[in-house]
Structure formats: C-alpha cells, structure tokens
Amino acid sequence: MSVTILKPGVFKHITCRNNIYPKSAVKRFPVPDEFVYWSKEYSEYAPEVYTAPHINGQPWADVNIVSADSQPKWNQIDGDVNRVSFNGIYKIENGLPTNPIGRTGLRGRGLLGRWGPNHAADPVVTRWKREADGKMSVDSCSQKRILQMVAIQRHDNKMWAIPGGMVDPGEKVSSTLKREFMEEALNSLDNTEMIETFFTNGSEIYKGYVDDFRNTDNAWMETVAYNFHDEDGTKVGKFSLSAGDDAANVKWLDINSGVELHANHIDIIKEVIKRLNAHW
C-alpha cells in the first residue's frame, strides 16, 4: 500500500514559495499561506514568467511556447511522455497546466523540462546499523534498531537526499530506480546479478507531488518512491558506496528525527521508519 502525503487542498508547499528561484536572480511573487490555493482570490497576483535559457532546445524538454496547434496531450500518455499526474486531473488555463497544489509565485517551467508533471523515481535503500562486532545498533532511549539509508549530497543545494532521478521517456519506473542508484551511489559493475535481484524486491511507499524548489505554477515534480531493504546487510548493504557525477557525496546516513533532507524526502523516510518499526 502506497501513501500519498502531499494532497491538493490539504498540503501547502513551502520550498517553492517566497524565495529567489534557484540558479537565477528571479524573485518569486510573494504567496502568503492564505493565498496558496487557487480557490482563494488573489487579485494582486502577478508572477514573472521564467524558463531557464539552457532548457530551450533540449531533447528531453518541451518547447518553450505552447501554441494552439501544438498542444501536448495533457493528463494522458503523450507518445513516450507521461503527462498524467498522481494527484488526478490538473486544470489547463491559457493553454498551460496549473500546479495542483497551488501558487508558487512563478510561471513558466523554470529549470524543469516538462510542462505539468515532471516524473522522477526515488530508491530508498536501507539497512540496519551495526556495531563493530556485527550486532545491530539499538538506540538507548527508544530501544529500537537504528536504520541507515543510502543518501547522496546534491550539487545544487548541498542537501542530503534520496538518490533518485528523472524517469526517461518510455522508461519503466523499475529501470529508473536501479539506474539512478547505480549512477549516483554505487558506481560499480560488480555483482550485477545480485543487484538485479535486489531491485526486484522493493515496496512502494510514496507516489505523488514533491515540494521541490524548482516547481512553478506550470511545472512541478512528482515521484514514485520504493524501499529496498537489506535486512541482514549481506547484499547492497555490504558494498562500498561511490558518488557518481550527479552527486557531490554519498554515505550510509543514520536516520532519526534530527535529519534534514531535500524537498519532502523526510516524509518519505518517515513512512519507511514506520513500516520497519525503526528508531526515530
């Protein structure tokens, strides 16, 4: 059973409001909490339109200007591109998709390639922390086992995160999960058969909107997250981690309530903690 945490009309995004848009000098139009939802009238709302210049012409990106005769197939599979949102049908206004969570203070695509949902996949790879003698580490207060996850440090905001990435057009999510983990955290071709087997036994833990700092009124991140748990630490849990080109660093990170992660990754991790009955 998967859990959708960030629901329209219930959740108010935080990361993609009231700040300078990343890798630019563009300031988002102020969006107070009471004006996040589109259902609330906000007559003064006049955000800038911004799409990063390097996005234009990229093979993985949509065209910058959507004309009446070149409309993508919104809310459906458009060739190899998945334009379906996990949050249901999104509205189209002035020929463009509308962020289902609400206002972000910026129109356009920003740093995102697709209008509407930009789909990612996040592999949450975990193991139990162990002492030098091999015994599981137990927190002295909660008396619960301490869980570790593979975390990568992002280049853009230096925050620790789940080693996920974008789902390529036509690619199966299962392939994305394995590929991104290999590229960002393992960077090894050893034990390929074992890795293939390990990544066939995941459990879906989250599917939905991501409170990502790149989101705009017309483009946003969504993800599917799976937990791949190495119970006895003899599979992926025994490998040395190595950061790929997309990551600044990688490590087995102890998970607890004091950890800060990119976007809403901590909400995804909380679900893993709950399912494995681990220390928090």
Side-chain angles (χ1 to χ4, degrees):
M1 177 181 178
S2 62
V3 175
T4 301
I5 302 170
L6 310 188
K7 296 181 179 180
V10 177
F11 172 77
K12 294 180 179 179
H13 41 213
I14 299 169
T15 304
C16 55
R17 277 194 294 144
N18 305 324
N19 52 29
I20 302 295
Y21 192 81
K23 297 185 178 180
S24 78
V26 180
K27 187 176 181 179
R28 293 181 185 269
F29 194 89
V31 181
D33 284 354
E34 61 269 28
F35 291 117
V36 171
Y37 301 147
W38 297 108
S39 57
K40 179 71 173 180
E41 180 70 24
Y42 190 9
S43 58
E44 298 86 1
Y45 190 59
E48 285 193 45
V49 178
Y50 174 72
T51 297
H54 74 274
I55 299 295
N56 297 327
Q58 294 291 341
W60 43 264
D62 290 334
V63 294
N64 194 32
I65 300 175
V66 181
S67 61
D69 58 355
S70 65
Q71 284 276 310
K73 296 177 181 178
W74 306 120
N75 289 296
Q76 58 185 296
I77 303 298
D78 183 10
D80 285 336
V81 180
N82 182 7
R83 301 190 189 277
V84 179
S85 170
F86 292 128
N87 288 305
I89 302 296
Y90 49 86
K91 294 180 179 179
I92 306 300
E93 293 188 2
N94 299 317
L96 295 175
T98 300
N99 188 311
I101 299 297
R103 299 179 178 93
T104 67
L106 190 70
R107 293 188 177 123
R109 279 178 295 143
L111 291 166
L112 297 177
R114 303 291 178 192
W115 297 104
N118 288 254
H119 289 284
D122 291 312
V124 183
V125 176
T126 55
R127 71 179 185 184
W128 298 113
K129 184 177 183 179
R130 295 178 184 273
E131 305 294 343
D133 60 4
K135 292 182 180 179
M136 291 187 186
S137 298
V138 176
D139 183 77
S140 58
C141 294
S142 68
Q143 292 301 305
K144 290 185 176 182
R145 293 173 294 177
I146 298 173
L147 194 66
Q148 293 182 315
M149 64 171 279
V150 174
I152 57 110
Q153 188 177 37
R154 296 174 61 97
H155 283 295
D156 48 19
N157 61 7
K158 306 305 179 186
M159 294 191 74
W160 291 97
I162 301 167
M166 306 305 296
V167 179
D168 290 338
E171 185 179 38
K172 292 183 178 180
V173 169
S174 58
S175 298
T176 308
L177 291 162
K178 181 181 64 179
R179 172 176 57 81
E180 288 297 331
F181 182 78
M182 293 288 289
E183 290 178 358
E184 295 191 1
L186 206 53
N187 202 20
S188 170
L189 296 177
D190 296 336
N191 296 285
T192 304
E193 186 176 343
M194 185 277 290
I195 293 170
E196 289 279 353
T197 302
F198 181 74
F199 277 96
T200 61
N201 297 312
S203 57
E204 185 180 301
I205 53 175
Y206 181 81
K207 184 164 62 177
Y209 185 86
V210 180
D211 186 14
D212 193 282
F213 64 152
R214 295 167 291 182
N215 292 348
T216 72
D217 287 359
N218 309 120
W220 59 91
M221 289 295 303
E222 297 191 10
T223 195
V224 177
Y226 278 77
N227 179 216
F228 300 92
H229 181 61
D230 189 351
E231 178 66 23
D232 57 13
T234 61
K235 301 177 182 67
V236 171
K238 70 178 182 180
F239 288 172
S240 296
L241 301 176
S242 177
D245 294 339
D246 291 341
N249 204 350
V250 62
K251 69 178 180 180
W252 285 101
L253 177 69
D254 290 2
I255 306 173
N256 55 60
S257 59
V259 170
E260 292 186 6
L261 297 176
H262 167 73
N264 66 303
H265 286 187
I266 197 65
D267 294 315
I268 296 172
I269 299 304
K270 282 180 182 178
E271 181 63 23
V272 177
I273 288 285
K274 182 170 129 183
R275 294 189 183 199
L276 296 176
N277 193 29
H279 167 66
W280 179 246

